[in-house]
């Protein structure tokens, strides 16, 4: 669920790539920056909690991915760090770099974060080059460091962008671009909901059809190809991992509830696009955002359920991580189940804070009269 919330909240990143495209002057840009900027903490916090939840629930995955594919995660974290700095310093007095410098950093965050996160999620299906051996911590004379998991390429995750085996790079980049375009769509729909500025709204109407087509091309390519590629299956009797033809399509066929869940998410996104393009209603954002959340949750379920290795290794298939071999201890999982009881209260606070911030639309007059702005 946290993964779904994170991708849905990437509309903040998508909006940051549109500041120049949707504005003609500084007043319009200030409107856009403040509409999007009031939500950047939500995305950043969700990313941190998402990583923390993975650390507590699946420590072996955390150490393998975050400790192995660290160039990818460094790039993602750097993008989020410059985002925080940029919002705070863009309009600071005596800003020696100028506001455009920080706007470029926001554009970098808005582009790099969605693409790299999409690529990282796609490797849950295409695989990564790592090995896992728990006996390494006692084999001091081996060629490996005394760590359980080891990345087997010096690129440490970046190779997902150019791995040619089974055309994995096409699959990975397609999902990364789909996430980027969807984040821009969600951003445009959210901006349309939060302002009555006619110039901005006119530009959004021109951009939406092109972005909708691009998203459908990238996402459908990724999804349809996913249904035909071989997947990493697990024999429940022996925990042996092997390649199975059409594994991810079988996961949907053998779990009708999962198929319905995935289709629900896709239909919500498509209905949101239809509503945005043909009825111009402001509620379109809520359909696409909720559809994004449900679809991303479904993708994670496809990767992990029905005896599937959710973090496969193409270097050593038996090193692939499953829910069983990478989960935390029973004690930790029980404690986390109690902690999760606080989730409804956290969600209630988020909803309350969101409603307060979205209580009225942002206009040029308001931005001219207030000092509390980015």
């Amino acid at each position: 669920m946290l993964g779904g919330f994170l991708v849905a909240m990437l509309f903040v990143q998508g909006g940051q790539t549109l500041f120049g495209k949707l504005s003609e002057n500084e007043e319009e840009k200030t409107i856009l920056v403040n509409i999007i900027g009031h939500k950047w903490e939500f995305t950043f916090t969700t990313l941190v909690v998402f990583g923390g939840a993975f650390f507590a629930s699946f420590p072996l995955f955390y150490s393998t991915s975050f400790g192995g594919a660290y160039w990818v995660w460094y790039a993602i974290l750097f993008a989020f760090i410059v985002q925080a700095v940029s919002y705070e310093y863009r309009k600071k007095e005596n800003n020696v770099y100028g506001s455009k410098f920080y706007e470029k950093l926001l554009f970098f965050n808005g582009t790099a974060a969605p693409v790299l996160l999409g690529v990282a999620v796609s490797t849950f299906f295409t695989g990564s080059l790592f090995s896992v051996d728990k006996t390494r911590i006692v084999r001091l004379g081996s060629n490996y460091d005394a760590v359980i998991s080891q990345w087997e390429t010096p690129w440490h995750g970046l190779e997902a962008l150019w791995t040619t085996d089974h055309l994995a790079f096409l699959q990975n980049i397609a999902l990364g671009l789909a996430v980027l375009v969807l984040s821009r769509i969600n951003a445009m729909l959210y901006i349309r909901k939060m302002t009555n500025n006619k110039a901005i709204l006119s530009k959004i109407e021109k951009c939406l059809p092109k972005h909708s087509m691009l998203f459908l091309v990238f996402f459908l390519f990724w999804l349809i190809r996913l249904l035909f590629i071989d997947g990493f299956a697990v024999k429940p009797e022996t925990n042996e991992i092997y390649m199975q033809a059409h594994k991810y399509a079988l996961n949907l066929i053998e779990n009708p509830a999962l198929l319905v869940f995935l289709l629900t998410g896709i239909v919500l996104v498509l209905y949101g696009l239809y509503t945005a393009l043909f009825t111009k209603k402001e509620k379109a954002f809520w359909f696409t955002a909720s559809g994004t959340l449900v679809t991303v949750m479904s993708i994670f379920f496809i990767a992990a359920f029905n005896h599937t290795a959710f973090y496969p290794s193409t270097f050593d298939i038996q090193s692939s991580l499953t829910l069983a071999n990478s989960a935390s201890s029973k004690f930790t999982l029980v404690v986390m189940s109690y902690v999760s009881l606080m989730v409804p209260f956290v969600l209630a606070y988020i909803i309350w804070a969101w409603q307060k911030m979205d209580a009225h639309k942002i206009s040029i007059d308001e931005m001219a009269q207030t000092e509390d702005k980015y």
Side-chain angles (χ1 to χ4, degrees):
M1 180 178 287
L2 283 171
F5 273 119
L6 175 60
V7 177
M9 286 300 304
L10 287 178
F11 77 85
V12 174
Q13 276 60 40
Q16 291 167 184
T17 67
L18 297 169
F19 291 159
K21 193 174 186 64
L22 299 182
S23 64
E24 292 182 352
N25 51 55
E26 193 62 28
E27 288 79 11
E28 292 175 2
K29 185 178 292 183
T30 299
I31 291 176
L32 295 172
V33 171
N34 282 272
I35 289 175
I36 296 297
H38 287 161
K39 295 294 189 298
W40 76 263
E41 295 98 334
F42 284 92
T43 313
F44 195 96
T45 304
T46 305
L47 175 68
V48 174
V49 176
F50 178 65
F54 255 127
F55 172 73
S57 302
F58 301 98
L60 185 54
F61 164 79
Y62 186 92
S63 64
T64 301
S65 181
F66 289 77
Y70 54 75
W71 285 126
V72 172
W73 293 110
Y74 278 169
I76 292 171
L77 291 175
F78 176 76
F80 277 94
I81 290 170
V82 299
Q83 177 198 36
V85 172
S86 298
Y87 276 118
E88 294 303 322
Y89 283 88
R90 176 178 173 270
K91 286 297 184 180
K92 284 279 188 182
E93 294 184 7
N94 303 318
N95 173 8
V96 296
Y97 295 108
S99 59
K100 290 190 179 299
F101 171 76
Y102 291 106
E103 289 165 12
K104 290 178 181 177
L105 291 182
L106 290 173
F107 184 88
F108 166 73
N109 167 260
T111 304
V115 170
L116 291 177
L117 285 170
V119 169
V121 170
S122 185
T123 61
F124 282 39
F125 302 93
T126 58
S128 302
L129 290 165
F130 66 88
S131 61
V132 176
D133 185 355
K134 295 181 179 180
T135 66
R136 285 182 191 147
I137 57 178
V138 296
R139 298 204 321 258
L140 301 181
S142 69
N143 294 326
Y144 289 92
D145 296 328
V147 293
I148 293 175
S149 56
Q150 186 88 15
W151 212 260
E152 301 295 345
T153 166
W155 296 106
H156 292 282
L158 293 177
E159 71 279 355
L161 295 170
W162 58 74
T163 299
T164 56
D165 292 347
H166 307 291
L167 299 178
F169 75 98
L170 284 179
Q171 192 78 356
N172 298 338
I173 293 175
L175 186 59
L177 292 176
V179 173
L180 172 63
V181 178
L182 181 59
S183 71
R184 289 166 66 100
I185 291 172
N186 284 337
M188 285 187 277
L189 297 183
Y190 182 72
I191 292 169
R192 190 171 73 171
K193 186 175 80 73
M194 290 301 298
T195 186
N196 286 324
N197 185 281
K198 293 182 179 180
I200 294 175
L201 295 178
S202 175
K203 292 183 180 65
I204 289 175
E205 299 307 318
K206 294 178 181 178
C207 290
L208 268 176
K210 297 178 183 178
H211 279 71
S212 299
M213 289 301 299
L214 280 174
F215 167 70
L216 291 176
V217 169
F218 290 133
F219 180 71
L220 290 178
F221 171 84
W222 181 85
L223 181 62
I224 293 172
R225 192 169 184 275
L226 179 70
L227 301 179
F228 288 94
I229 64 175
D230 296 343
F232 298 79
V234 183
K235 291 182 180 179
E237 303 84 6
T238 62
N239 290 325
E240 178 187 357
I241 300 167
Y242 65 100
M243 299 303 297
Q244 183 176 9
H246 312 305
K247 171 59 179 171
Y248 303 112
L250 290 173
N251 284 357
L252 293 172
I253 295 171
E254 295 171 2
N255 294 271
L258 178 55
L259 177 60
V260 171
F261 197 56
L262 174 64
L263 292 177
T264 299
I266 294 173
V267 169
L268 282 171
V269 172
L270 293 177
Y271 182 72
L273 293 177
Y274 169 81
T275 303
L277 293 171
F278 299 105
T279 69
K280 317 299 182 186
K281 293 182 180 178
E282 295 177 358
K283 65 181 180 180
F285 169 76
W286 296 112
F287 287 111
T288 58
S290 59
T292 300
L293 186 152
V294 173
T295 302
V296 173
M297 288 178 62
S298 302
I299 289 172
F300 279 117
F301 292 155
I302 294 170
F305 287 177
N306 197 37
H307 307 300
T308 309
F310 74 89
Y311 201 56
S313 171
T314 53
F315 178 82
D316 173 22
I317 191 172
Q318 300 309 320
S319 293
S320 301
L321 302 184
T322 67
L323 294 179
N325 68 17
S326 64
S328 233
S329 66
K330 180 181 178 181
F331 174 79
T332 303
L333 295 176
V334 170
V335 171
M336 287 191 63
S337 67
Y338 285 114
V339 173
S340 66
L341 296 177
M342 297 296 295
V343 170
F345 299 99
V346 176
L347 286 176
Y349 171 75
I350 292 174
I351 293 172
W352 175 81
W354 190 294
Q355 289 177 336
K356 287 292 184 181
M357 287 188 284
D358 287 6
H360 63 277
K361 298 188 176 185
I362 295 179
S363 64
I364 292 178
D365 292 338
E366 179 188 355
M367 291 294 98
Q369 295 170 7
T370 183
E371 295 295 327
D372 185 21
K373 60 185 177 182
Y374 290 117

